[in-house]
Amino acid sequence: HLRARPDEGVERAVDHIFAAYQDFLPSAKRGLARRVLRDSLCAAGVSVERPEASRGAASARSLAAPREANGVFGDAPLIKRDAAREDLVPAPPFVEIAAHQWALRDMLIDWNAGRHLLLIGNQGVGKNKLADRFLMLLDAEREYVQLHRDTSVQALTAAPSLKDGVVVWDDAPLVRA
């Protein structure tokens, strides 16, 4: 994280990396976890103060959302893929909300660094919209898999289809991915 965003500092990096975990802690425990982490970093000799260059970054985030232009999204390189099946590349209607634009920029930086992405949040906050927009920016296909409590290993690995009146078992999207 720090190599990709050197101007944001350790505290912002910790917030970014552990954001998903912190959201599930009660507020009292969240504050305690932050203090323990901060104290541990200080004890190890790591400066947790934000660099001077990033002190205005919080206000800059609220003013100007990143946009796609000339192969970059904000300051993140936009490395497009060659979609094998253009019909699977999502083209969602997307309202450019600043918070979502910043989330997309952060997702691109992490993706370009070779990290996997996991979007966690309450129902209706826009996880699927972000995923679709992200894939559209990259020209990458989306396979939709619905998981529920009755999902079996067979349902994840093989999918039935009808060809010339005969049921044929093909690789499921998870196997093709």
Side-chain angles (χ1 to χ4, degrees), residues 154-166:
Q154 181 179 0
L156 292 173
T157 57
S161 62
L162 195 58
K163 291 183 182 168
D164 298 325
V166 178

Side-chain angles (χ1 to χ4, degrees), residues 104-163:
L104 283 168
R105 175 230 178 223
D106 289 345
M107 289 166 63
L108 275 169
I109 289 173
D110 289 338
W111 182 259
N112 290 339
R115 295 190 183 99
H116 297 283
L117 303 176
L118 174 64
L119 304 179
I120 298 175
N122 293 331
Q123 182 177 353
V125 298
K127 298 178 298 293
N128 280 320
K129 284 284 187 190
L130 281 173
D132 283 346
R133 175 70 171 162
F134 182 74
L135 292 172
M136 186 189 89
L137 289 169
L138 296 176
D139 270 340
E141 300 95 339
R142 178 184 191 190
E143 291 277 1
Y144 187 78
V145 178
Q146 182 82 29
L147 300 177
H148 50 82
R149 67 175 174 234
D150 297 327
T151 301
S152 66
V153 172
Q154 181 179 0
L156 292 173
T157 57
S161 62
L162 195 58
K163 291 183 182 168

Side-chain angles (χ1 to χ4, degrees), residues 23-109:
D23 290 345
F24 293 105
L25 291 173
S27 59
K29 301 276 188 199
R30 191 177 313 137
L32 175 64
R34 289 182 60 76
R35 280 193 303 280
V36 167
L37 185 57
R38 185 182 181 92
D39 292 348
S40 298
L41 289 170
C42 287
V46 177
S47 172
V48 293
E49 296 301 319
R50 283 193 295 170
E52 281 299 317
S54 70
R55 291 192 191 275
S59 59
R61 267 192 180 238
S62 60
L63 294 177
R67 303 247 184 260
E68 177 188 6
N70 302 323
V72 295
F73 190 85
D75 58 350
L78 192 55
I79 303 164
K80 299 226 178 220
R81 299 171 65 173
D82 287 327
R85 292 192 49 198
E86 289 289 330
D87 59 318
L88 293 179
V89 176
F94 189 79
V95 177
E96 294 184 352
I97 299 168
H100 285 174
Q101 295 291 94
W102 282 108
L104 283 168
R105 175 230 178 223
D106 289 345
M107 289 166 63
L108 275 169
I109 289 173

